[in-house]
Amino acid sequence: MHSRPVGAVTRGTTNANRLRRQDRWLAGPQAWRLRRSEGSPVVVDLGYGASPTTAVELHTRLRAVRRDVRTVGIEIEPSRVEMGRRLIARTPLEGLSFARGGFEVPLPGGERPVIVRAANVLRQYDESEVAGAWAHVLERLAPGGLLLDGTCDELGRRSTWVALEASGPVSLTLSYRLTGLADPADIAPRLVKALIHRNVPGERIHDYLAALSHHWTLSAPLAPHGARQRFIATARAMRASGWPLLDDVHRWRLGEITVAWAAVAPADDGARITRR
């Protein structure tokens, strides 16, 4: 175990309900990871920020999947950890705790988390540091565990995240508030750190966003029926044109679309995990 937390203190900006789209995905398509755990599963909200709000929200939403889930909010900044501990001292929440740490994900007795959610954390790092941070966390996951590396706008209306398993990145998800959506490619400024600087010609993520925009435009005749129907048609057209989408209409209805990582990974494989 590392003697000092691995990582750096982030700005810590957060808002209530900002990470609802990520929580909804963890409590939906990924809920099986919690259900199959033989013991009470451990989930980590890594780098939850200046307020423990997101850790509380994550814990509450995942308890609807499995009542015995334990959630640990982990932060490098001691004052943030203390704030979380004061919160549960005033209003105890069964199964929720807070600890100091970083990408080494310290848990009592060397426990391994089933899920680690790191939201708006790596966004504040250099792209060259992403693979190393991923590797640190992946080493700590329980067998079959998941790391969600995500980012979003200030109100959580647009969110993107990479899902990683022990072998490395598996998928990229884009999630939108469909009301008022002008162009799905407008999510580009909220791409995860591994991709945000890759949205240029010659990169797969650039092609993916361009294809989304193209099919969204072609689906314009469905606009009178609502943005949801238009988005579903866009996703269906993406799949029909060869993009390896990993979800279906049930997620598309929510303004969410997930594609295999290999289809959008950096052209030079710059985000490859290097085992230490």
Side-chain angles (χ1 to χ4, degrees):
M1 191 66 67
H2 298 269
S3 58
R4 292 188 301 175
V6 177
V9 177
T10 61
R11 291 190 298 273
T13 306
T14 190
N15 284 307
N17 219 25
R18 186 183 186 191
L19 304 181
R20 61 192 179 279
R21 296 180 180 276
Q22 298 174 20
D23 291 352
R24 183 175 63 189
W25 187 74
L26 292 173
Q30 303 304 313
W32 63 271
R33 299 180 191 271
L34 301 176
R35 294 191 181 108
R36 78 172 188 180
S37 179
E38 294 183 2
S40 51
V42 179
V43 174
V44 168
D45 190 10
L46 182 61
Y48 55 83
S51 165
T53 300
T54 61
V56 173
E57 292 173 344
L58 177 63
H59 182 62
T60 301
R61 287 163 178 154
L62 294 186
R63 285 195 78 195
V65 175
R66 185 159 170 171
R67 294 292 295 177
D68 63 344
V69 69
R70 289 174 290 142
T71 304
V72 183
I74 292 181
E75 254 291 347
I76 288 181
E77 173 54 55
S79 64
R80 297 175 183 174
V81 178
E82 182 58 30
M83 183 181 297
R85 289 172 174 169
R86 288 200 303 269
L87 171 69
I88 56 177
R90 295 193 306 270
T91 310
L93 291 169
E94 184 180 355
L96 177 64
S97 61
F98 295 88
R100 185 169 183 243
F103 295 122
E104 79 283 6
V105 192
L107 293 175
E111 273 195 297
R112 294 182 177 274
V114 174
I115 294 172
V116 175
R117 194 267 303 280
N120 299 307
V121 175
L122 285 170
R123 184 176 180 82
Q124 300 176 48
Y125 284 70
D126 188 83
E127 183 183 354
S128 64
E129 299 175 283
V130 170
W134 284 354
H136 271 294
V137 177
L138 294 181
E139 286 181 353
R140 294 287 298 120
L141 290 179
L146 178 85
L147 164 63
L148 183 158
D149 170 17
T151 187
C152 64
D153 63 13
E154 288 73 11
L155 298 178
R157 293 178 176 177
R158 295 177 181 177
S159 184
T160 74
W161 58 87
V162 178
L164 301 99
E165 296 178 342
S167 59
V170 174
S171 63
L172 171 72
T173 299
L174 309 181
S175 183
Y176 304 83
R177 181 177 184 266
L178 292 178
T179 302
L181 178 62
D183 184 343
D186 290 344
I187 204 168
R190 298 298 170 178
L191 287 172
V192 293
K193 192 66 177 188
L195 295 176
I196 192 168
H197 301 302
R198 303 304 186 113
N199 186 28
V200 294
E203 291 282 353
R204 299 182 186 99
I205 186 61
H206 182 270
D207 295 341
Y208 183 65
L209 293 182
L212 270 174
S213 182
H214 172 69
H215 289 297
W216 175 258
T217 299
L218 293 182
S219 300
L222 289 173
H225 299 285
R228 177 177 295 172
Q229 293 305 313
R230 186 177 179 183
F231 191 78
I232 291 171
T234 298
R236 283 177 171 152
M238 289 287 286
R239 172 167 285 163
S241 66
W243 289 97
L245 302 188
L246 303 181
D247 49 10
D248 57 26
V249 67
H250 299 291
R251 305 310 297 180
W252 303 338
R253 284 181 174 276
L254 302 174
E256 185 181 293
I257 186 168
T258 299
V259 67
W261 175 256
V264 294
D268 62 359
D269 205 18
R272 176 180 291 173
I273 300 293
T274 301
R275 292 295 176 194
R276 295 178 295 112

